[in-house]
Amino acid sequence: MLEIPVELGARRYVVSVGRGLARLLPDLLAPLGKRHTVVVASRLLLKSHGKALARPLERLGVVHTCVVPDGERFKSRRTLEGVYDAFLKARLGRDGLVLALGGGVVGDLAGFAAASWMRGVDWVVVPTTLLAMVDSSIGGKVGINHARAKNMIGAFHQPRAVVIDPAFLATLPMRELRSGAYEILKCAVLGDAALFARLLRAPLGLEGWERPELDNAIATACRIKAEIVEKDEHEGQLRYVLNLGHTIGHALEAVTRYRRYTHGEAVGWGLIGASWIAHDRGLLAASEYDGIASAVDRLGPRPRMSDLEPIALLEAISHDKKGRAGRVPFVLPTAIGSVVVQHDVKPPEIRRALRAMAGREALRD
Ligand SMILES: NC(=O)c1ccc[n+]([C@@H]2O[C@H](COP(=O)([O-])OP(=O)(O)OC[C@H]3O[C@@H](n4cnc5c(N)ncnc54)[C@H](O)[C@@H]3O)[C@@H](O)[C@H]2O)c1
Ligand SMILES: [Zn+2]
């Protein structure tokens, strides 16, 4: 088992990574003391892993399991109401514990429920998708969607522990696995040339990716995210670098109403776009741009983007909620392992990046 501490003073916690850890949950969480525990779990996840989890959850002292339906549209106020009802029924008090079991949707929802219940109860998260393992479970950002705006209702509420058992990934559809892998690639471009090299050696489309390689990539990505969160818990300047690939990525998702791409696929396209802009500005060597774009392409096919209207994408980018006063900061790679944030990227540059992205689509077909 690997242990990655997230050093946040009084809010310090450990991310544990290891195969079979789900069975050891009661032991791993023993330092938190015996607690009145409510599990918030994905329905699909329980279908495939519920049997194996029954015993450990029983040993943990779980008093109630709140099953939530799967899908982004259930990261909603309505589902949240149901979670609160379950908390009430289970008489979850200030000294209780919420355990989130599922992908990023369940983690964000359960974490937000914990953040707001009685002004904050402790929670732990057991992520079961690759994306949730390497991204959403670390850092304490929790929340739900407004019907017209994603992630608009939220809070910062750090978990007390993150338990990552890569064995869950055996049942994860390949497309969801790749979705998380694009975020791992993002982490590599942000801060780890060795991880980047390993990803370049991964099998095409990740078919048959070996377990030790996958586990190593998960742990390294967690460490990179943890280090960034430690330096900037509440998303000031520094943590913003985690948005690499997300400026164009979010626009692709919004313009296609979150139906065409998985989050990671959109980030994959966005990584190519941001790298192109960096190259276009003379910040990134052509060979490095090629390296990043090929690494993205190697992870697998992504739904097309060349049919989307550039004007609609530019419009969506200018509405990015991270932008202030109409300016949307772009995270631009300058080498594998380093980035800069620039606030003056102009629409014509973004248009050229969109053309470069579309060009790669043709390359692949
Ligand atoms: N809080 C953060 O910092 C942060 C960061 C990134 C993303 N997010 C959020 O995370 C969400 C996306 O997370 P996601 O990609 O995990 O999506 P998800 O939670 O919707 O999971 C994807 C699908 O995989 C299924 N699934 C989960 N575990 C499985 C398993 N082990 N085997 C088989 N199927 C399984 C789910 O039921 C779902 O259908 C978005 O809502 C996004 O906003 C949050
Ligand atoms: Zn992301």
Side-chain angles (χ1 to χ4, degrees), residues 70 72 75 103-105 108 128-129 136 141 150-151 168 171:
D70 291 85
E72 184 69 36
K75 209 172 98 175
V105 164
D108 278 13
T128 63
T129 63
S136 60
K141 277 187 10 180
K150 208 169 131 50
N151 291 331
F168 281 119
T171 51

Side-chain angles (χ1 to χ4, degrees), residues 34-90:
K34 196 88 176 158
R35 303 276 193 98
H36 210 64
T37 303
V38 177
V39 173
V40 181
S42 127
R43 181 173 292 155
L44 259 171
L45 194 275
L46 283 183
K47 256 191 188 158
S48 41
H49 299 269
K51 240 187 187 158
L53 287 166
R55 182 84 188 106
L57 293 183
E58 190 187 306
R59 273 179 57 219
L60 198 63
V62 168
V63 291
H64 192 94
T65 300
C66 170
V67 182
V68 293
D70 291 85
E72 184 69 36
R73 71 178 191 285
F74 295 108
K75 209 172 98 175
S76 64
R77 280 180 278 182
R78 190 155 169 207
T79 317
L80 183 67
E81 280 288 326
V83 176
Y84 289 146
D85 289 348
F87 286 179
L88 199 67
K89 195 167 164 206

Side-chain angles (χ1 to χ4, degrees), residues 189-206:
V189 175
L190 279 181
D192 199 312
L195 175 61
F196 185 81
R198 292 175 87 116
L199 287 172
L200 273 180
R201 289 196 302 269
L204 215 56
L206 297 181

Side-chain angles (χ1 to χ4, degrees), residues 135 183 246 263 267:
D135 195 356
E183 293 278 6
H246 284 60
H263 176 66
V267 170

